[in-house]
Amino acid sequence: DAGVIQSPRHEVTEMGQEVTLRCKPISGHDYLFWYRQTMMRGLELLIYFNNNVPIDDSGMPEDRFSAKMPNASFSTLKIQPSEPRDSAVYFCASSPGQGREKLFFGSGTQLSVL
Amino acid sequence: RKEVEQDPGPFNVPEGATVAFNCTYSNSASQSFFWYRQDCRKEPKLLMSVYSSGNEDGRFTAQLNRASQYISLLIRDSKLSDSATYLCVVNRFNKFYFGSGTKLNVKP
């Protein structure tokens, strides 16, 4: 299995631009999570999906952030407009669920907003 | 109060030393427990699950104390390659909560 696949690996953009991060979970996993990691705040859960349905988006910082999962093999996290404080590593992770809760991470997207 | 609390370290130990990390969790309804390892600029990776009876995987031993709501990780005969950040993780109703991590530096 290829594991969780994220793209791009690195994104550098200017303040005010739209940023879209992409994730392909492991096939057969029912849960998909988006995390953000910074030195100051550690790993923060932004949103998670179960069977493509958003379950908890209480960690999404504000309306500039949105996430979708149109099908079982693809999810996006969008930031519009981006701000310098959004600079962080964004991880996507998936989990089988159904009592097998182990979490598997993608390699992350390093986002820099100038 | 944070869901999961860990000592950030760093723990600086010589090769061959035994080192122990603890973490505490705040919600007694937490259901499953894990240690993850994260190398610099990499994604977290599962090191081991933690069971109430305690479990061992080679040089690594994990313990769970539900009454006191703490989790421990013991590393014996530490290697240079053990240098990393160790993240304590709890799961409750399919939601994973991460500690901020404990940094370990193993020196030659």
Side-chain angles (χ1 to χ4, degrees):
Chain A
D1 198 320
V4 178
I5 299 173
Q6 289 187 247
S7 65
R9 288 296 305 274
H10 303 276
E11 177 81 34
V12 181
T13 191
E14 293 188 346
M15 184 173 63
Q17 297 298 305
E18 178 179 296
V19 174
T20 300
L21 311 181
R22 296 173 176 79
C23 175
K24 176 179 166 54
I26 293 172
S27 177
H29 281 194
D30 291 340
Y31 288 83
L32 183 141
F33 302 79
W34 282 101
Y35 285 88
R36 176 172 69 176
Q37 188 173 37
T38 60
M39 288 291 291
M40 291 296 294
R41 301 172 69 93
L43 265 169
E44 300 174 278
L45 177 64
L46 301 177
I47 185 171
Y48 78 96
F49 296 83
N50 179 22
N51 292 322
N52 314 338
V53 176
I55 302 300
D56 185 341
D57 66 354
S58 59
M60 296 285 260
E62 49 200 89
D63 292 345
R64 298 185 297 107
F65 286 69
S66 62
K68 294 182 180 179
M69 192 165 185
N71 57 60
S73 58
F74 184 66
S75 178
T76 59
L77 178 68
K78 186 177 291 187
I79 308 172
Q80 166 63 21
S82 57
E83 296 183 3
R85 61 193 167 121
D86 302 330
S87 298
V89 180
Y90 290 80
F91 288 107
C92 175
S94 69
S95 172
Q98 302 161 22
R100 297 170 289 145
E101 307 93 346
K102 295 176 185 177
L103 194 58
F104 299 85
F105 282 82
S107 301
T109 295
Q110 173 74 61
L111 174 64
S112 299
V113 183
L114 308 177
Chain B
R1 186 180 173 190
K2 286 185 180 179
E3 286 275 350
V4 182
E5 303 231 33
Q6 293 182 252
D7 180 346
F11 285 59
N12 298 306
V13 303
E15 268 186 296
T18 296
V19 61
F21 308 137
N22 293 323
C23 88
T24 57
Y25 59 96
S26 60
N27 195 313
S28 60
S30 297
Q31 297 163 301
S32 52
F33 308 88
F34 309 89
W35 283 100
Y36 276 70
R37 171 193 168 128
Q38 186 173 25
D39 293 289
C40 189
R41 300 186 185 281
K42 299 282 190 179
E43 72 274 22
K45 292 184 178 177
L46 178 66
L47 178 66
M48 60 196 301
S49 302
V50 188
Y51 304 113
S52 297
S53 54
N55 50 300
E56 190 173 304
D57 182 2
R59 297 181 293 109
F60 298 83
T61 300
Q63 295 274 358
L64 167 64
N65 184 319
R66 283 189 182 269
S68 303
Q69 293 180 205
Y70 83 76
I71 305 156
S72 65
L73 177 67
L74 182 78
I75 305 175
R76 291 183 299 278
D77 188 24
S78 52
K79 313 291 185 190
L80 296 177
S81 57
D82 294 334
S83 297
T85 296
Y86 291 83
L87 300 162
C88 178
V89 185
V90 305
N91 176 289
R92 188 169 70 253
F93 303 117
N94 291 303
K95 196 168 174 179
F96 293 81
Y97 300 88
F98 282 75
S100 55
T102 299
K103 188 168 175 57
L104 172 65
N105 296 315
V106 181
K107 308 286 189 181

